[in-house]
């Protein structure tokens, strides 16, 4: 990255290299550079609506459904055709809108390039549009400003930047104009660089622009976001099934049609009738109710999650949540409160130590509203009302700001006891400026500081001394101080953090912390919530970068906590994990955008940056992993019901498909007429759709699942064979009676066995051990059964459908076959899950 080179060079050398000076560029030169380098803005190539719509037509399942709808219209079954087209349209609209909406994410990066900036040109300070800032410009910034480009600082005064959107660091970062002692490798180490889009929290600064637009670190994130393409687990699973079904239907129909022509001849009428029969058979195999079931299941899931303050932007993301095997997140705000608090004080007079620490803050301590520094806010909260009032009665006369080199700040404070110099900062910097600490005392205090660091706490030391009457305040007064005490700060764990991690482990979801924060802080949090056995078990971004490729992949897979990682490294970690797992990512900053777009499920909080929210699938109204785990459970429930539907419908369709196809070779008439096949298909879809509302066995939620096509097909083939056996028993008994009698009896048996199949395969356990079926499923199943059984008894319905009135003996025979089928299905199911399922999954 270009910023690394400029961080390692002296400011004056950079000015020469960029052809600039402290007086800034000549205006004519600035115009030339603007023409050469282009506007200072992040480029984007957002998909247009038509492009998004076009992308939706690459789904093979869409073509399968369109073909089924077309055949239904061709065969005169307009209800079935319209039914399929309505849900194709709903899914197309929802998916296209989501694709178009997500493509807007890149455009929002522009919001982080400010509208105007102050630059010095020809020795004069000008206010120009940020798009006109060019390399070599001298930019002036102060508290509240957002940096318009990547800048190498030349001057700073009490200058701090909020880089949380770039690094995830929760505390403002002090900046310096000095040359770094050690070359910066990661963004957080670049203490003399300011990055486009970051915000000045205090002080003022001046620097030279070395990168604009797409060449900035922000532009690099935009490029990663633009180039990242993902396919969700939901999409992969549906594509696998649709491709398999298309191949199966085309292959089998070809064989059946050719075999019929060879065996029965190719008379004109017979050939046309056979073709119509084959097409109807094809429609019967397609699981056309799948879009309906998906819509119902995902919509119900979305409403339930909304009640838990989880907003789903992409409906299929709910089902994808259930497939998550690894959940990556930052620690701040998800496992911790994202609010520093005082956790411990080591001082002879703790209250006095707190008061002096707050009195030395750089902001004017008039009231809490002016406090932006996390440490100052924590100190304010720790003070009593009387202590705050006492400090506010005093006055800050002067100050020497914090500097990364000094690692401390000091103020001259006038209180009730006169003028006092108060110093606070890094303990080791304060200790050797005090006169009341000996070597042993320093050693004891450093042990306390080290222990606090291991707990992930940050420590400030406080010292003071009265300002002598004949002395003026300067940096030389920061000597011969009286040590007052140490104050430890921490971002406390959420009360639900440990329980949430335990729930994730119970669901076999591995949680990984990926943060820009320090190694000590990340390790302490990971250890506290039970992700790692020792606080030291943390991998840093710098360590990852130095590893060989093979070792890096192993470390990413085996470790749970990563600290000081850059946006590009976050992207790399997610990409590496996706080679083996389905990955969810919870982020909120600009720096998270590439990883969010890449992750199988992108999750953000409501307060996240606009770019992060646009890249997200799921938005949490409350920042907590607890709600994410709720979403994972909901997703697995939905997945279990969708998988139920696929198993049941494929088993039923396979059984009917093969029975009809084989019977057509040996029976001189069609075992079911095309209109009867389509009616059977339509009626059975109603209880099938209700599967989306069904309850799920607790065991189904224990592990992430995926669409195992071969496993489902094997089960459907076994149970489809069982169905065919009972079908052929019926054929053998009734095909000599009359075509209408066989067709009526088989229609009734087929519908009975489909409903039986639903209640058998809705659980992997024995029928009586399963959770009670949902009321919707039970009611629809009963209604469809009663309606279907009544059809042959209604003359004006039976006649056009070619049904005949079944005798009591035939009804009894069909009932006995249905009961026998139920027990046979339960036996084969038990055998499959006990002896075959593990092998099929392997």
């Amino acid at each position: 990255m270009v910023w690394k080179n400029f961080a390692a060079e002296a400011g004056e050398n950079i000015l020469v290299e960029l052809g600039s000076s402290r007086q800034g560029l000549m205006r004519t030169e600035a115009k030339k550079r603007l023409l050469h380098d282009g506007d200072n803005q992040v480029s984007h190539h957002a998909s247009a609506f038509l492009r998004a719509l076009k992308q939706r037509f690459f789904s093979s399942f869409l073509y399968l459904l369109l073909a089924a709808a077309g055949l239904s219209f061709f065969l005169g079954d307009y209800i079935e055709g319209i039914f399929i087209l309505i849900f194709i349209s709903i899914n197309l609209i929802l998916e296209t809108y989501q694709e178009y909406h997500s493509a807007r994410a890149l455009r929002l990066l522009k919001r982080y390039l400010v509208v105007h900036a102050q630059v010095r040109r020809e020795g004069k300070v000008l206010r120009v549009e940020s798009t006109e800032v060019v390399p070599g410009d001298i930019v002036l910034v102060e508290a509240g400003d957002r940096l318009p480009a990547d800048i190498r600082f030349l001057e700073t005064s009490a200058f701090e930047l909020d880089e949380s959107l770039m690094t995830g660091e929760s505390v403002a970062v002090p900046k310096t104009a000095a040359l770094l002692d050690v070359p910066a490798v990661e963004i957080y180490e670049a203490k003399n660089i300011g990055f486009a889009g970051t915000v000045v929290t205090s002080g003022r600064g001046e620097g030279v622009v070395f990168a604009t637009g797409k060449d900035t670190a922000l532009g690099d994130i935009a490029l990663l976001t633009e180039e990242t393409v993902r396919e969700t687990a939901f999409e992969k699973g549906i594509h696998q099934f649709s491709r398999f079904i298309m191949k199966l239907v085309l292959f089998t129909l070809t064989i059946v049609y050719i075999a019929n022509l060879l065996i029965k001849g190719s008379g004109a009428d017979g050939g046309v009738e056979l073709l119509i029969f084959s097409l109807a058979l094809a429609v019967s195999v397609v699981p056309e109710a799948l879009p309906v079931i998906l819509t119902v299941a995902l919509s119900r899931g979305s409403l339930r999650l909304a009640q838990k303050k989880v907003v789903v932007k992409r409906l299929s993301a709910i089902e994808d949540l259930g497939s998550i095997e690894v959940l990556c997140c930052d620690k701040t705000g998800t496992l911790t409160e994202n609010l520093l608090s005082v956790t411990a004080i080591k001082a002879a007079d703790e209250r006095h130590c707190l008061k002096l620490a707050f009195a030395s803050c750089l902001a004017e301590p008039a009231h809490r509203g002016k406090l932006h520094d996390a440490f100052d806010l924590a100190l304010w909260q720790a003070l009593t009302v009387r202590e705050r009032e006492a400090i506010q009665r005093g006055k800050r006369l002067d100050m020497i700001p914090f500097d990364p080199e000094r690692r401390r700040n000091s103020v001259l404070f006038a209180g009730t006891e006169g003028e006092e110099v108060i110093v606070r900062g890094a303990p080791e910097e304060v200790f050797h400026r005090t006169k009341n600490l000996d070597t042993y005392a320093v050693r004891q205090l450093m042990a306390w500081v080290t222990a606090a660091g291991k707990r992930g706490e940050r420590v400030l030391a406080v010292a003071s001394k009265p300002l002598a009457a004949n002395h003026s305040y300067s940096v030389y007064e920061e000597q011969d101080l009286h040590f007052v005490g140490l104050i430890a700060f921490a971002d406390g764990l959420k009360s639900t953090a440990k329980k949430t991690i335990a729930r994730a482990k119970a669901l076999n979801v591995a949680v990984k912390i990926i943060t820009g924060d320090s190694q000590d802080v990340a390790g302490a949090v990971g250890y506290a919530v039970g992700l790692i056995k020792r606080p030291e078990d943390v991998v840093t971004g710098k360590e990852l970068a130095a590893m060989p490729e093979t070792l890096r992949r192993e470390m990413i897979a085996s470790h749970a906590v990563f600290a000081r990682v850059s946006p590009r490294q976050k992207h790399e970690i997610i990409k590496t994990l996706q080679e083996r797992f389905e990955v969810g990512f919870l982020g909120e900053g600009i720096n998270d955008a590439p990883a969010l777009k890449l992750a199988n499920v992108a999750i953000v909080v409501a307060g996240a940056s606009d770019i992060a929210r646009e890249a997200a699938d799921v938005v949490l109204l409350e920042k907590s992993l607890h709600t994410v785990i709720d979403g994972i459970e909901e997703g697995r429930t939905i997945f279990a019901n969708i998988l139920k539907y696929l198993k049941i419908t494929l088993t039923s369709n396979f059984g009917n498909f093969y029975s009809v196809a084989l019977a057509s070779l040996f029976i001189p008439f069609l075992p079911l007429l095309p209109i009867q096949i389509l009616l059977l298909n339509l009626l059975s879809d109603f209880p099938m759709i209700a599967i989306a509302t069904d309850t799920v066995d607790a065991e189904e939620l224990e592990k992430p699942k995926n669409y195992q096509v071969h496993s489902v097909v094997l089960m459907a083939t076994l149970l489809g064979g069982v169905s065919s056996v009972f079908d052929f028993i019926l054929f053998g008994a009734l095909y000599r009676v009359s075509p209408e009698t066989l067709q009526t009896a088989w229609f009734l048996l087929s519908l009975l066995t489909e409903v039986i199949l639903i209640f058998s395969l809705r659980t992997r356990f024995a029928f009586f051990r399963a959770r009670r079926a949902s009321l919707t499923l039970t009611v629809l199943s009963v209604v469809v059964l009663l309606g279907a059984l009544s059809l042959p008894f209604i003359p004006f319905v039976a006649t056009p459908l070619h049904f005949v009135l079944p005798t009591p003996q035939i009804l009894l025979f069909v009932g006995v076959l249905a009961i026998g089928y139920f027990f046979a299905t339960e036996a084969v199911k038990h055998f499959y899950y006990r002896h075959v399922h593990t092998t099929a999954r392997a």
Side-chain angles (χ1 to χ4, degrees):
M1 296 181 185
V2 66
W3 61 263
K4 295 181 182 179
N5 299 327
F6 290 99
E9 289 189 52
E12 297 304 321
N13 293 342
I14 293 173
L15 286 172
V16 173
E17 183 179 336
L18 293 172
S20 186
S21 70
R22 289 297 185 103
Q23 299 302 307
L25 298 170
M26 299 295 288
R27 298 189 187 189
T28 53
E29 178 62 20
K31 289 182 179 179
K32 288 181 183 178
R33 295 190 181 193
L34 185 62
L35 288 173
H36 180 270
D37 297 321
D39 289 348
N40 176 33
Q41 60 181 348
V42 177
S43 62
H44 68 276
H45 303 281
S47 299
F49 182 80
L50 289 178
R51 180 181 170 188
L53 183 61
K54 181 180 177 182
Q55 290 173 344
R56 294 299 97 205
F57 281 90
F58 284 104
S59 168
S60 52
F61 187 70
L62 174 65
Y63 292 124
L64 194 65
L65 290 176
L66 285 173
L71 290 176
S72 297
F73 284 117
F74 175 75
L75 298 171
D77 191 352
Y78 299 108
I79 295 176
E80 175 85 359
I82 292 171
F83 180 80
I84 296 172
L85 287 180
I86 286 174
F87 286 97
I88 288 176
S89 301
I90 292 173
N91 281 346
L92 270 179
I93 291 169
L94 289 175
E95 291 178 2
T96 302
Y97 173 75
Q98 169 61 28
E99 185 77 23
Y100 175 69
H101 193 62
S102 295
R104 294 172 53 218
L106 283 172
R107 286 179 286 182
L108 289 170
L109 282 168
K110 287 185 172 182
R111 295 185 184 181
Y112 293 90
L113 293 177
V114 294
V115 178
H116 292 93
Q118 282 194 319
V119 300
R120 186 184 295 124
R121 290 178 181 170
E122 298 180 357
K124 296 179 180 179
V125 176
L126 307 173
R127 190 167 183 263
V128 302
E129 297 222 1
S130 65
T131 55
E132 296 176 4
V133 172
V134 297
D137 263 330
I138 303 299
V139 173
L140 291 77
V141 289
E142 58 186 14
D145 288 345
R146 193 184 293 274
L147 271 58
D150 286 357
I151 297 169
R152 168 63 160 86
F153 291 112
L154 304 174
E155 288 183 15
T156 58
S157 176
F159 192 77
E160 291 188 343
L161 278 177
D162 177 2
E163 293 185 331
S164 59
L165 293 176
M166 298 293 292
T167 66
E169 183 83 46
S170 56
V171 178
V173 179
K175 293 291 181 176
T176 180
L179 185 64
L180 302 180
D181 295 330
V182 179
V185 177
E186 302 297 341
I187 286 177
Y188 73 90
E189 297 174 324
K191 302 299 183 184
N192 54 8
I193 299 291
F195 297 97
T198 58
V199 179
V200 182
T201 58
S202 66
R204 63 175 186 81
E206 180 179 313
V208 59
V209 174
F210 61 82
T212 59
K214 61 181 176 55
D215 296 323
T216 62
L218 186 67
D220 187 55
I221 292 173
L223 181 64
L224 268 180
T225 305
E226 183 178 356
E227 292 176 347
T228 300
V229 179
R230 67 177 174 186
E231 184 181 26
T232 67
F234 172 79
E235 290 170 341
K236 287 185 283 189
I238 295 301
H239 289 170
Q240 284 180 327
F241 269 109
S242 57
R243 284 193 295 267
F244 170 79
I245 293 170
M246 286 183 75
K247 291 176 183 177
L248 176 70
V249 168
L250 291 174
F251 174 76
T252 310
L253 282 182
T254 302
I255 297 298
V256 169
Y257 186 75
I258 293 174
N260 269 276
L261 288 178
L262 292 175
I263 294 174
K264 298 182 178 180
S266 56
D269 294 336
V272 172
E273 185 182 7
L274 179 59
L275 177 61
I276 293 174
F277 165 73
S278 299
L279 293 177
L281 200 57
V283 174
S284 73
V285 176
V286 177
E288 75 284 349
L290 183 57
V292 191
I293 286 175
L294 291 175
T295 303
V296 173
L298 296 175
S299 297
R300 291 180 77 250
S302 178
L303 289 173
R304 281 200 292 265
L305 288 179
Q307 293 171 353
K308 299 177 182 179
K309 298 187 177 181
V310 179
V311 178
V312 179
K313 291 174 59 182
R314 174 173 62 85
L315 275 181
S316 62
I318 304 175
E319 201 258 0
D320 287 333
L321 273 170
S323 67
I324 289 178
E325 298 168 285
V326 178
L327 177 61
C328 300
C329 65
D330 197 343
K331 59 167 189 59
T332 307
T334 52
L335 297 172
T336 66
E337 296 288 356
N338 194 23
L339 184 67
L340 284 184
S341 60
V342 174
T343 55
I345 305 172
K346 186 172 181 60
D349 186 341
E350 293 185 358
R351 305 313 302 178
H352 181 61
C353 181
L354 276 173
K355 286 189 289 185
L356 288 183
F358 185 73
S360 62
C361 70
L362 297 178
E364 192 67 46
H367 55 81
R368 185 184 183 280
K370 289 188 177 181
L371 299 176
H372 301 288
D373 183 84
F375 292 102
D376 293 341
L377 285 167
L379 290 168
W380 173 272
Q381 293 293 339
L383 293 170
T384 65
V385 174
R386 287 187 177 183
E387 288 170 339
R388 295 172 188 170
E389 291 174 349
I391 295 170
Q392 288 171 343
R393 285 193 292 270
K395 186 176 182 181
R396 191 183 66 189
L397 302 176
D398 204 350
M399 71 170 188
I400 301 174
F402 183 92
D403 184 272
E405 300 299 320
R406 289 164 30 84
R407 301 178 66 205
R408 66 188 186 279
N409 75 278
S410 67
V411 300
L412 178 60
F413 189 80
T416 56
E417 299 178 2
E419 294 182 3
E420 190 174 12
V421 176
I422 309 171
V423 178
R424 77 177 191 186
E428 54 270 29
E429 290 295 324
V430 175
F431 289 160
H432 72 267
R433 288 173 170 78
T434 59
K435 61 181 181 180
N436 62 326
L437 293 179
D438 56 24
T439 304
Y440 176 76
V442 170
R443 189 180 300 118
Q444 293 293 104
L445 291 170
M446 282 306 299
W448 192 88
V449 172
T450 302
K454 289 181 179 179
R455 296 193 300 271
E457 298 172 349
R458 298 175 170 92
V459 179
L460 286 179
V462 182
S464 68
K465 76 173 185 180
L467 182 66
N470 59 343
H471 286 202
S472 60
Y473 176 63
S474 69
V475 69
Y476 299 105
E477 292 301 320
E478 296 178 352
Q479 301 293 335
D480 297 324
L481 300 167
H482 177 81
F483 175 74
V484 177
L486 298 170
I487 305 176
F489 302 80
D491 184 5
L493 285 180
K494 286 181 178 288
S495 58
T496 58
K498 289 184 179 179
K499 187 182 295 184
T500 299
I501 296 298
R503 282 183 66 200
K505 288 182 178 179
L507 293 172
N508 287 282
V509 175
V511 177
K512 293 181 185 288
I513 294 175
I514 307 177
T515 180
D517 217 330
S518 71
Q519 184 174 2
D520 287 341
V521 174
V525 172
Y527 176 72
V529 298
L531 285 179
I532 51 180
K533 294 181 179 179
R534 302 179 304 153
E536 297 80 18
D537 295 338
V538 179
V539 181
T540 65
K542 187 179 291 186
E543 290 170 342
L544 279 178
M547 292 177 187
E549 179 69 19
T550 304
L551 179 59
R552 183 161 60 246
R553 289 174 180 273
E554 291 177 2
M555 295 294 279
I556 288 173
S558 62
H559 281 67
V561 181
F562 302 86
R564 295 297 192 195
V565 293
S566 67
R568 189 169 285 275
Q569 286 175 322
K570 281 187 181 182
H571 185 272
E572 181 186 354
I573 290 171
I574 299 297
K575 190 173 183 179
T576 301
L577 289 171
Q578 282 184 317
E579 294 174 0
R580 298 170 57 184
F581 308 105
E582 295 295 325
V583 181
F585 180 68
L586 173 57
E588 60 178 320
I590 292 177
N591 61 318
D592 294 324
L596 283 166
K597 191 172 180 186
L598 178 67
N600 300 100
V601 184
I603 310 164
V604 301
V605 295
S609 64
D610 289 344
I611 174 65
R613 286 203 307 273
E614 283 297 323
D617 302 311
V618 178
V619 179
L620 309 181
L621 300 184
E622 288 183 356
K623 190 173 183 180
S624 173
L625 274 187
H626 181 78
T627 52
V628 179
I629 302 303
D630 287 341
I632 290 174
E633 287 187 338
E634 187 66 43
R636 291 188 184 176
T637 299
I638 290 169
F639 178 89
N641 281 333
I642 292 173
L643 204 59
K644 278 183 199 177
Y645 166 75
L646 288 172
K647 288 178 181 178
I648 293 167
T649 194
L650 288 181
T651 297
S652 174
N653 290 353
F654 279 16
N656 290 341
F657 184 87
Y658 291 125
S659 294
V660 174
L662 292 173
S664 67
L665 297 175
F666 306 106
I667 297 176
F669 55 87
L670 297 178
L672 268 186
L673 299 176
I675 192 173
Q676 293 169 343
I677 293 175
L678 295 173
L679 177 63
L680 174 65
N681 207 28
L682 181 62
L683 288 175
S684 63
D685 278 345
F686 286 101
M688 289 285 190
I689 291 169
I691 291 172
T693 69
D694 197 19
T695 56
V696 174
D697 295 325
E699 289 79 3
E700 293 291 333
L701 307 179
E702 289 179 354
K703 290 183 180 180
K705 303 291 197 303
N706 54 45
Y707 290 98
Q708 298 157 346
V709 176
H710 298 294
S711 177
V712 174
V713 168
L714 178 59
M715 184 179 195
T717 302
L718 287 174
L719 291 170
V722 173
S723 175
S724 294
V725 168
F726 284 87
D727 289 340
F728 277 103
I729 292 174
L730 183 75
F731 294 164
L734 298 179
Y735 87 96
R736 289 190 178 90
V737 179
S738 72
E740 292 78 10
T741 301
L742 173 59
Q743 289 162 354
T744 302
W746 195 47
F747 177 86
L748 296 176
L749 179 63
S750 296
L751 201 61
L752 277 171
T753 54
E754 288 209 22
V755 173
I756 286 171
L757 198 62
I758 290 174
F759 286 88
S760 177
L761 295 191
R762 60 178 293 271
T763 177
R764 61 182 298 163
F765 303 110
F767 168 77
F768 56 84
R769 286 184 54 200
R771 290 186 63 189
R772 183 179 298 177
S774 70
L775 181 62
T776 305
L777 177 60
T778 304
V779 170
L780 274 179
S781 298
V782 171
V783 168
V784 166
L785 275 179
L786 293 176
L789 289 172
S790 66
L791 291 179
F793 296 91
I794 306 174
F796 65 86
V797 174
T799 302
L801 292 176
H802 303 280
F803 288 146
V804 295
L805 191 68
T807 63
Q809 292 82 1
I810 289 178
L811 288 176
L812 179 62
F813 182 54
V814 168
V816 170
L817 286 178
I819 294 171
Y821 173 76
F822 172 74
F823 286 108
T825 298
E826 285 287 294
V828 173
K829 180 183 73 174
H830 177 75
F831 172 81
Y832 172 81
Y833 281 116
R834 187 162 188 174
H835 301 288
V836 182
H837 185 54
T838 304
T839 306
R841 290 174 61 186

